[in-house]
Amino acid sequence: DADVTQTPRNRITKTGKRIMLECSQTKGHDRMYWYRQDPGLGLRLIYYSFDVKDINKGEISDGYSVSRQAQAKFSLSLESAIPNQTALYFCATSDLTTSGVQETQYFGPGTRLLVL
Amino acid sequence: QQQVKQSPQSLIVQKGGISIINCAYENTAFDYFPWYQQFPGKGPALLIAIRPDVSEKKEGRFTISFNKSAKQFSLHIMDSQPGDSATYFCAAGAGTALIFGKGTTLSVSS
């Protein structure tokens, strides 16, 4: 979905390097998420943010950190990359209705990361 | 309590057949059950979703069946087409982040 963009789309890095993956959205949503996808393991939540001042750890946050620079921007950092962080990373956004009902999550195109 | 178990891991169906993917959840607080479709090289996209106040929702060839007492829900794809070949994820949530199943790779042979 062009409303959610991720950069870079592909990245090769070496063990121990710090890297940042960036996500931007034009949907005006407050909620943003970072997921990791591995074959056979599905989508696992790394971090999520419900607004600029709110950051929450997901299922697999160890080794990762995030920054919510603005409503539209949510970046994921690997402080010291290791080979088992090789995966496909997705950013997503969503919103809530005024009655608090969860709405659709919209995913970006993904970043394929290889850690050597 | 937070897991969503999805089966089968892979599925091969002939063109025109019915594809069925099943999911089970544990947390009774979940109140939103979407299915996402993902094509190679793309991010997942919402296919269809259901809330627990109904037992079935149909959109075109895609139907969700929901069994609240059994804590199970399933996706049925009628008249499956080669263009339906993709990975399908079920998920469950309760106003916070979604919990996803591990995915089912569907191949529809022509």
Side-chain angles (χ1 to χ4, degrees), chain A residues 63-76:
Chain A
Y64 302 94
S65 63
V66 291
S67 174
R68 185 80 183 268
Q69 302 94 324
Q71 185 203 38
K73 297 185 181 294
F74 192 36
S75 60
L76 175 72

Side-chain angles (χ1 to χ4, degrees), chain B residues 13-79:
Chain B
V13 174
Q14 287 199 334
K15 179 181 176 181
I18 302 173
S19 303
I20 301 174
I21 305 170
N22 300 298
C23 283
Y25 64 97
E26 299 170 354
N27 189 342
T28 55
F30 289 149
D31 61 1
Y32 176 63
F33 303 89
W35 285 89
Y36 281 78
Q37 181 187 54
Q38 183 183 29
F39 293 107
K42 303 290 187 181
L46 180 70
L47 182 63
I48 187 172
I50 197 168
R51 300 196 186 275
D53 52 342
V54 296
S55 60
E56 185 175 282
K57 183 174 181 180
K58 184 176 181 180
E59 291 184 1
R61 296 183 295 108
F62 301 92
T63 300
I64 299 179
S65 296
F66 184 78
N67 185 329
K68 188 173 182 178
S69 61
K71 292 187 284 186
Q72 295 176 345
F73 59 110
S74 60
L75 175 69
H76 296 236
I77 306 174
M78 310 301 289
D79 187 26

Side-chain angles (χ1 to χ4, degrees), chain A residues 20 92 96:
Chain A
M20 180 183 291
L96 281 180

